Amino acid sequence: MAKAKDAFRTISEVAEWLDTPTHVLRFWESKFSQIKPVKGAGGRRYYRPADMELLGGIKQLLHVDGLTIKGTQKLLREKGVKYVASLGPSMTAQAEPVHERAQIDAAPTPEPAAAPTPAEPTPAPAQEALPFAPTAPAFAIDLPLPPTTLPAAKPRLIGRAPANSHAMRARAAQITPLLARLEEIRARMHG
């Protein structure tokens, strides 16, 4: 039995009507505060026809017109819920009265007209005539070949070069009093 056009629908029914997965509808519900389904026992969502039309308008803006979520939110703020709802499919167009549907089903169906047969089928184009048929390139690439061996590099010293002994003695003479002072401080701390 079909539901009345003003009946509440479950999320599964709305998802089927919009041809959109249920997780997408839940996501839109988190992004658009204007979507407020009634939640029944156990947290099940029931959408009013106004909610469904708003969801249809949101789908139109996001999936067909290519707006972003922020762009759709801005349009909702500026033009309102009724404007966005009017962009999507209408609930009244989806649910037609039962008595009209019965009259349509009872009407005799006319015989389909015979389709005219073509006189002669058109032949398929030859493979060679297609624009993407492989052909030899009209140019040749003339690049030199890479070398087979690498040139010998002169040895390099990695890290610091050794200092001369005179410079090392001069540096040691500077460091020795500092080390003695550190040892004295250490002895006071532990002593």
Side-chain angles (χ1 to χ4, degrees):
M1 183 172 171
K3 287 187 175 182
K5 67 179 181 179
D6 58 344
F8 286 31
R9 304 290 200 294
T10 63
I11 193 167
S12 301
E13 292 170 319
V14 177
E16 184 180 335
W17 178 66
L18 287 175
D19 192 29
T20 303
T22 56
H23 70 272
V24 173
L25 298 178
R26 286 188 212 98
F27 175 72
W28 289 348
E29 190 180 319
S30 72
K31 293 295 178 183
F32 301 100
S33 60
Q34 295 87 351
I35 304 169
K36 295 178 186 126
V38 176
K39 290 192 181 174
R44 188 166 185 152
R45 293 166 170 82
Y46 293 98
Y47 291 89
R48 295 177 284 264
D51 292 328
M52 291 178 64
E53 288 180 349
L54 178 59
L55 285 166
I58 289 172
K59 179 181 179 177
Q60 172 72 26
L61 292 171
L62 293 173
H63 291 196
V64 178
D65 297 344
L67 261 67
T68 61
I69 288 180
K70 285 189 177 188
T72 305
Q73 289 169 337
K74 181 179 178 187
L75 194 65
L76 268 165
R77 279 192 308 272
E78 291 174 357
K79 300 230 177 172
V81 173
K82 287 184 180 179
Y83 174 77
V84 173
S86 70
L87 298 175
S90 173
M91 284 297 299
T92 56
Q94 184 256 354
E96 57 185 354
V98 177
H99 67 276
E100 286 181 21
R101 209 176 307 138
Q103 287 176 353
I104 292 170
D105 291 342
T109 57
E111 291 284 328
T117 57
E120 191 173 309
T122 57
Q127 186 69 28
E128 297 81 34
L130 295 175
F132 51 83
T135 58
F139 57 89
I141 299 174
D142 188 26
L143 295 175
L145 293 173
T148 55
T149 60
L150 295 174
K154 59 182 180 179
R156 296 185 302 163
L157 182 64
I158 299 175
R160 298 183 83 187
N164 62 26
S165 61
H166 177 67
M168 288 177 71
R169 274 191 226 114
R171 189 75 178 142
Q174 292 173 346
I175 293 175
T176 304
L178 294 174
L179 286 173
R181 178 79 177 133
L182 283 173
E183 287 296 322
E184 184 183 315
I185 293 171
R186 184 176 174 206
R188 277 193 218 158
M189 289 175 65
H190 294 297

